[in-house]
Structure formats: C-alpha cells, structure tokens
Amino acid sequence: MQTAIVTLFPELFAVFLDTSFVKRARETNRLGVHLEQLREHGLGRHRSVDDTPYGGGSGMVMRPDCVVAAMEAAECAIGGRAVRVLLTPQGEPFRQSVAEELSAQERLLLVCGRYEGFDERVRLFVDREVSLGDFVLTGGEVAAMAIIEACVRLLPDVLGNAVSSVEESFSAAWGGGLEYPQFTRPPEFRGHGVPEVLVSGNHARIAAWRREQATERTAARRPDLERRNPGVGRS
Ligand code: ADE
C-alpha cells in the first residue's frame, strides 16, 4: 500500500513512522509513506497557503489552489491517482469498517488541514472526508496517524499473528462488537482471580464463555454497535 500525506508539519510523523508495526511494514515494503510539504505549494515570499475568508469573519481559510497542487504532487510521488481522503471534523466518523476499506486501496492520500478549515472547493477534489471523532483537533495530522496505524494492522503479514486482527474489537469478522475480557498470569492479583472456565482446558466452554462475554460487554458499553450490527458477538 502506497500512502501520501499532505501536511504543513511533516516532522510530526518522524517517530511514528519509525516505530513498531509501521516501521516494520515500511522496511518490508508493505507500506510506503510519502510526506508532501504543503508549504512548498504556497504563494509569495511567505509561501502562504491560507487567506482571509470571503464575506469576512475571523480566522483563515486554506486556499484550494495550494491544497490541490500539493495533492497532485503527492500522487505523482506515489505513482498515480490515489483514494483522496480529507481529514476534517465534518467527515464520516472513522471506524473499523472505514479502515478495512482504506487498507484495501493500492494508493491512499491523506490531506491534513490546519487553521479554521478548507475552502469549500477543496471538497470537489477528494473522494471522501473522514473525522476522527466529534472533537476538533488543531489539524488533521493525528487523525492521519490513526488512520495509517489502523490500516497497517490490516495489511497481510504485518501482524505476527494474523488471527489477532480478526478477533479484536470492532473487526467485521468478530461481528463489529467489543472483544471479550482477557487474562494472563499471575493467577491471583491483589485478591482478584481468573475466571475458572479459562483454566478448565475445555475449549468449547471457553469459546462459548468468550462469545457470551463479548455480547454482554457490547450491550452494556456500546449499545450503538449492537444496533448497527445485530448479532454482534454471537456465533
Ligand atoms: N481536523 C481537525 N479536527 C479533526 C477531526 N476531528 N478529525 C479529523 N481531522 C480533523
């Protein structure tokens, strides 16, 4: 998967790209990441990429000519047209199903804004808009990292144990619900033990207990997931 990120702050990605699964995916050529500095497409002596809003008002608005030029340069760098994703609080909420769709793309372009927002015409040049959640970030960079991390885990052969991305919370294969509770050693911790079934050695009972726990937990904590995916956590 080839990705490109349009950003005014490429340095924010340095440690992220050089750590853990993302690092390994890059080293093994499963993931390519190109950082396109938006400032290079800015105008004038200060390489401005924003301007005052027509009609007045406070704040600045990102210019469409600079943003689209950066998007096109970024696509050139990764070998062609990509699925273009604008990161904005006005986008569709990012969830596992979106990660699954995006991770299946050959090329992905993530466009990070800063300041007050994008000129509306930028939206005519993207394929989808994605929000990390119902809160406002200063820019899209943290959202871009979240999307890349969620997508990379879904690429074939990136996680050591392929089963783990299928069984974890929200995965479609698991029914879109929350995962069952997990335990490891010690068998007793500050007076709290481990459910007897998990040390019973009875795999059918363990599987049934886990399904039941996942269903209960999803209903208690995220009833919205149950409504969206009837049958969550049930086999
Ligand atoms: N940029 C600013 N806020 C954002 C959000 N919630 N999601 C994605 N990009 C953003």
Side-chain angles (χ1 to χ4, degrees):
M1 178 186 207
Q2 294 299 320
T3 66
I5 303 164
V6 169
T7 172
L8 282 168
F9 299 97
E11 63 274 17
L12 278 176
F13 294 85
V15 174
F16 170 73
L17 292 175
D18 231 5
T19 305
S20 188
F21 288 116
V22 174
K23 177 184 186 185
R24 205 166 72 219
R26 290 174 62 229
E27 284 172 352
T28 54
N29 293 324
R30 290 180 176 89
L31 173 73
V33 183
H34 169 79
L35 294 165
E36 184 70 31
Q37 172 53 273
L38 178 55
R39 186 72 62 203
E40 284 174 18
H41 304 275
L43 305 170
R45 201 156 55 89
H46 298 292
R47 296 229 163 255
S48 303
V49 297
D50 59 348
D51 211 328
T52 52
Y54 280 122
S58 63
M60 302 290 271
V61 177
M62 301 192 78
R63 293 176 58 117
D65 46 356
C66 304
V67 175
V68 172
M71 284 165 47
E72 289 169 352
E75 282 180 336
C76 252
I78 60 170
R81 181 74 161 84
V83 169
R84 297 172 168 180
V85 178
L86 190 66
L87 299 164
T88 156
Q90 297 184 27
E92 65 180 309
F94 186 58
R95 51 170 77 100
Q96 193 66 19
S97 58
V98 178
E100 283 164 14
E101 284 164 29
L102 296 182
S103 73
Q105 305 301 322
E106 195 182 331
R107 283 187 282 267
L108 182 65
L109 174 62
L110 302 172
V111 183
C112 306
R114 286 261 151 179
Y115 315 126
E116 304 295 311
F118 296 98
D119 179 291
E120 191 61 21
R121 291 165 291 182
V122 169
R123 298 195 150 86
L124 301 172
F125 294 83
V126 302
D127 300 301
R128 61 203 288 181
E129 297 180 39
V130 171
S131 167
L132 198 57
D134 291 338
F135 41 80
V136 179
L137 302 166
T138 314
E141 283 78 8
V142 168
M145 287 186 232
I147 289 173
I148 288 181
E149 185 156 320
C151 288
V152 162
R153 317 179 72 259
L154 298 172
L155 294 176
D157 304 325
V158 167
L159 295 191
N161 175 5
V163 172
S164 51
S165 80
V166 169
E167 283 222 349
E168 66 198 358
S169 294
F170 307 115
S171 106
W174 184 244
L178 303 182
E179 206 185 2
Y180 49 78
Q182 300 263 38
F183 294 86
T184 186
R185 278 182 273 273
E188 178 141 335
F189 176 65
R190 299 193 183 180
H192 303 279
V194 168
E196 177 277 327
V197 59
L198 297 179
V199 291
S200 69
N202 183 331
H203 297 295
R205 265 187 73 211
I206 291 171
W209 181 85
R210 285 179 167 167
R211 274 198 303 275
E212 186 186 293
Q213 289 286 317
T215 303
E216 274 175 24
R217 185 162 276 205
T218 304
R221 298 187 183 189
R222 294 294 304 273
D224 56 313
L225 291 179
E226 269 228 316
R227 271 197 299 281
R228 205 165 53 224
N229 289 295
V232 159
R234 296 177 192 105
S235 61

